[in-house]
Amino acid sequence: MMEVSKETYYKRTPEWGGKNTVRGDLTNQRKVAEICEKTWNCKFHQYAHFDTLDWWIERDGRTVAFAELKTSFKNKDFSILNFRKYIGAMWIRHASNKPVFIMFLNGNGDIFYEDVINIQGETKITGSKHLKSINDIEPALHINLNSLKKV
């Protein structure tokens, strides 16, 4: 099982032009990519920090899929996917006709995933009351992790 970087949201300082990404996020992304590369016999290529998704995935010299990772620092039975990410992932899925895996790293190190076209959830207004950006409270899909596949 993977050890999850335990940085908390409230300790984040915006980097890379105001995006709330910290070293813990990048560390978790690298660890998840390494695990998935070994499990799925493929190569995860990191997108730039401002792109819609985290990775494009290659096997045998061809793009076979795309992926986005959402991390929870707590062990929960659900996760959220904001509508900006959801719409971007659906657009890429439609344009490429390739799977777009929405991946969730739980606080205990479990990695869940599903192709965005199969994601189902309840629309809720989610976010933090400790505002650090204009998008801290917004509509999102509330997704039960038990409905997803596990790496």
Side-chain angles (χ1 to χ4, degrees):
M1 187 168 308
M2 181 182 142
E3 184 178 330
V4 180
S5 175
K6 299 291 186 183
E7 293 185 54
T8 64
Y9 179 83
Y10 306 108
K11 292 181 183 176
R12 291 178 175 211
T13 50
E15 296 179 13
W16 300 302
K19 200 171 179 194
N20 281 330
T21 303
V22 292
R23 284 189 191 107
D25 292 331
L26 297 176
T27 298
N28 289 333
Q29 285 179 5
R30 280 192 288 279
K31 288 178 182 178
V32 167
E34 289 170 6
I35 290 167
C36 292
E37 286 172 340
K38 289 176 186 170
T39 303
W40 296 338
N41 189 31
C42 61
K43 174 71 177 153
F44 275 50
H45 298 275
Q46 186 81 42
Y47 272 116
H49 298 294
F50 294 108
D51 280 331
T52 303
L53 301 174
D54 292 322
W55 302 288
W56 61 275
I57 303 169
E58 174 190 1
R59 181 183 295 137
D60 299 326
R62 295 188 342 224
T63 302
V64 294
F66 302 86
E68 168 68 16
L69 177 66
K70 307 308 296 175
T71 300
S72 173
F73 300 110
K74 298 177 183 174
N75 187 18
K76 303 185 296 188
D77 62 353
F78 72 92
S79 192
I80 61 170
L81 178 63
N82 71 53
F83 269 79
R84 291 173 292 112
K85 288 285 186 182
Y86 178 69
I87 291 167
M90 288 293 280
W91 177 78
I92 291 169
R93 177 66 165 92
H94 177 73
S96 69
N97 201 29
K98 306 275 186 216
V100 175
F101 297 120
I102 305 298
M103 307 180 80
F104 300 97
L105 174 60
N106 212 351
N108 65 2
D110 289 337
I111 305 167
F112 298 89
Y113 73 99
E114 185 58 82
D115 189 348
V116 68
I117 64 169
N118 298 322
I119 295 279
Q120 295 184 10
E122 181 182 353
T123 302
K124 294 186 175 187
I125 296 173
T126 61
S128 171
K129 293 180 180 158
H130 302 280
L131 297 177
K132 291 193 94 165
S133 91
I134 195 166
N135 293 323
D136 276 354
I137 297 178
E138 63 184 321
L141 289 178
H142 187 271
I143 301 162
N144 183 335
L145 294 178
N146 293 327
S147 68
L148 309 177
K149 298 170 187 146
K150 199 170 176 183
V151 173

